[in-house]
Amino acid sequence: MAKRFMTILFLLAMVNLSLTMDTNETVKLPAIYIFGDSIFDVGTNSFLPNSSSRADMQFYGIDSPFQKPTGRFSNGYNAADRIVNLLGYSESPPPFLYLIQNYTENFKTENIKGVNFASGGSGLLNDTGKRFNRVIPMVEQIQQFETVHGNISQNLNDPSESRIHQSLFLFSVGSNDILEFFDKFRKTNPDNATQEVQQFITTLMNQYQAHLQNLLNLGARKFGILSVPPVGCVPILRGTNSDGQCINELNVIAQFFYLALNGVLQDLNSEFPDMKYSLGNTFEIIYSMTDNPPFPILDVKSACCGNQTLKDGVPCSPDAKVCENRSHFLFWDQYHPSEFACTLAAHSLCNGENPYVSPINFSVLFQPS
């Protein structure tokens, strides 16, 4: 217990140290390009008027520097911010759509520093997220990067590949695909359940490999990838069980996803020997917090923003009740981790080792090569 407590104190000290870094140093760092869903979204969906998947209302951002919504599905910073913060940046690069609308004249120079393409509700499959009316699916996020890639080629004297090779490409995607699949799956209850799941995972991996290969063909070589967390343990799904326990069937699919993704990355590495990657086992990271909550987390089941109950949980909105001590909760809302949980997870990804991240951690991956 004493050793565990000292570990937490060390992590908190590292957080404070990283937050005080001189942000002027970040201009010397390689660019970071971020893809995925709401775990990484830093405001993309705020620029999609028709989308119902958004976080630009109270109480989101209650712990952000200006205590206002930033479009992040968090009470403050999210996983993208915390990861890049540990790598030397103050926060995630801005959304692609923000740069297009606010830095039209300087877009070609701004995107050299990095861009965030992640969109809440999106997935690997094009149809994932359609229930929200409008999200940016992965195929469109890759297309947006192609625009950025073309601008980099035009604005750098040296070939764009040298810049792209050193840049870090972060991914967090797949949870929404699994949640939507499971929702349809349990309604049909097929007799060949195992085969259905295997076919679904194969479909997802084919899409994932195609997206990564497109980036590799554009010069990307460093990939920091988060697998999916134990999605069966999010508050909205725990609340469907009378005993408040996780939905194990969903968690099994999430574990299959990790194993299959590991295989995809190994195959791509064989095809592109100069490719480097870190695969974050987000399932193990979050499940370990659920199974043995680190100090000061006390509640691993309910949502801080959402009345702090499972059966009576409500979406995080201006009408919801919000807990006073956000660091006591693993989950901020019905789906997303709190800022504190994101901070701990980021440390596992950047400074940890197997089983939380392999074959190298994000900090080693980010070093110049």
Side-chain angles (χ1 to χ4, degrees):
M1 178 63 72
K3 183 177 180 181
R4 183 178 185 83
F5 180 71
M6 291 303 296
T7 300
I8 297 298
L9 289 181
F10 170 76
L11 292 178
L12 292 175
M14 289 294 291
V15 172
N16 291 331
L17 177 62
S18 60
L19 289 174
T20 60
M21 291 182 65
D22 184 357
T23 55
N24 291 329
E25 292 298 315
T26 62
V27 298
K28 301 176 184 178
L29 297 172
I32 297 182
Y33 298 101
I34 300 176
F35 304 80
D37 51 30
S38 54
I39 296 298
F40 278 174
D41 188 348
V42 294
T44 292
N45 286 16
S46 299
F47 294 91
L48 303 176
N50 297 327
S51 179
S52 60
S53 174
R54 50 199 311 133
D56 54 357
M57 79 288 285
Q58 193 182 20
F59 293 92
Y60 288 98
I62 191 172
D63 295 315
S64 64
F66 297 101
Q67 297 182 322
K68 294 181 179 180
T70 63
R72 291 165 170 82
F73 293 80
S74 172
N75 54 303
Y77 284 120
N78 66 13
D81 297 300
R82 288 317 195 194
I83 290 170
V84 303
N85 182 237
L86 290 173
L87 299 177
Y89 286 87
S90 59
E91 62 183 18
S92 165
F96 176 83
L97 297 181
Y98 174 84
L99 289 172
I100 288 291
Q101 292 194 23
N102 292 276
Y103 287 96
T104 304
E105 295 181 359
N106 299 321
F107 175 72
K108 293 182 178 181
T109 55
E110 288 295 323
N111 62 39
I112 293 174
K113 304 174 185 177
V115 183
N116 189 315
F117 306 94
S119 172
S122 66
L124 290 160
L125 305 178
N126 291 342
D127 288 340
T128 298
K130 283 192 173 180
R131 60 197 174 104
F132 300 116
N133 297 323
R134 176 74 171 112
V135 298
I136 309 294
M138 185 56 63
V139 64
E140 191 173 342
Q141 292 181 36
I142 303 297
Q143 291 170 353
Q144 290 176 345
F145 175 75
E146 290 176 355
T147 300
V148 170
H149 182 274
N151 289 328
I152 293 174
S153 299
Q154 295 175 10
N155 284 274
L156 291 181
N157 294 326
D158 59 328
S160 62
E161 283 73 16
S162 62
R163 176 76 177 180
I164 299 299
H165 279 1
Q166 294 299 322
S167 298
L168 180 61
F169 290 76
L170 294 178
F171 278 80
S172 178
V173 65
S175 294
N176 293 309
D177 299 287
I178 292 175
L179 288 170
E180 292 191 15
F181 166 79
F182 186 75
D183 187 52
K184 298 175 183 177
F185 175 79
R186 62 179 174 179
K187 290 177 181 177
T188 58
N189 194 25
D191 295 329
N192 56 339
T194 302
Q195 184 178 351
E196 287 284 327
V197 171
Q198 290 176 342
Q199 290 178 347
F200 170 67
I201 293 295
T202 298
T203 299
L204 288 187
M205 291 304 112
N206 287 339
Q207 290 297 310
Y208 216 143
Q209 182 161 349
H211 296 317
L212 294 177
Q213 190 141 9
N214 284 338
L215 291 174
L216 283 161
N217 291 335
L218 290 169
R221 287 298 181 271
K222 294 185 176 184
F223 296 90
I225 295 180
L226 277 64
S227 187
V228 297
V231 287
C233 294
V234 297
I236 194 170
L237 292 178
R238 278 185 182 267
T240 63
N241 276 341
S242 58
D243 57 1
Q245 296 302 305
C246 302
I247 298 180
N248 289 327
E249 296 92 336
L250 256 173
N251 286 345
V252 169
I253 298 175
Q255 289 174 302
F256 283 159
F257 184 97
Y258 170 80
L259 294 174
L261 181 55
N262 191 35
V264 166
L265 292 172
Q266 290 178 7
D267 290 343
L268 285 172
N269 203 183
S270 297
E271 185 178 351
F272 296 86
D274 57 344
M275 168 189 171
K276 296 182 178 180
Y277 70 89
S278 296
L279 175 58
N281 192 342
T282 320
F283 186 97
E284 287 295 332
I285 293 172
I286 299 299
Y287 197 81
S288 67
M289 296 186 200
T290 303
D291 189 50
N292 190 11
F295 176 83
I297 293 177
L298 301 176
D299 188 321
V300 299
K301 294 183 178 181
S302 58
C304 167
C305 183
N307 294 4
Q308 297 101 64
T309 63
L310 290 175
K311 293 183 179 179
D312 300 321
V314 299
C316 184
S317 69
D319 297 325
K321 296 179 182 178
V322 180
C323 65
E324 293 183 4
N325 297 310
R326 263 78 74 178
S327 61
H328 288 180
F329 283 72
L330 176 60
F331 290 98
W332 160 244
D333 63 13
Q334 292 181 312
Y335 290 97
H336 306 99
S338 64
E339 179 185 53
F340 185 78
C342 288
T343 300
L344 294 182
H347 275 280
S348 293
L349 294 165
C350 292
N351 303 316
E353 55 187 24
N354 205 15
Y356 298 136
V357 60
S358 63
I360 56 177
N361 62 41
F362 284 21
S363 293
V364 175
L365 176 69
F366 195 60
Q367 293 174 5
S369 57

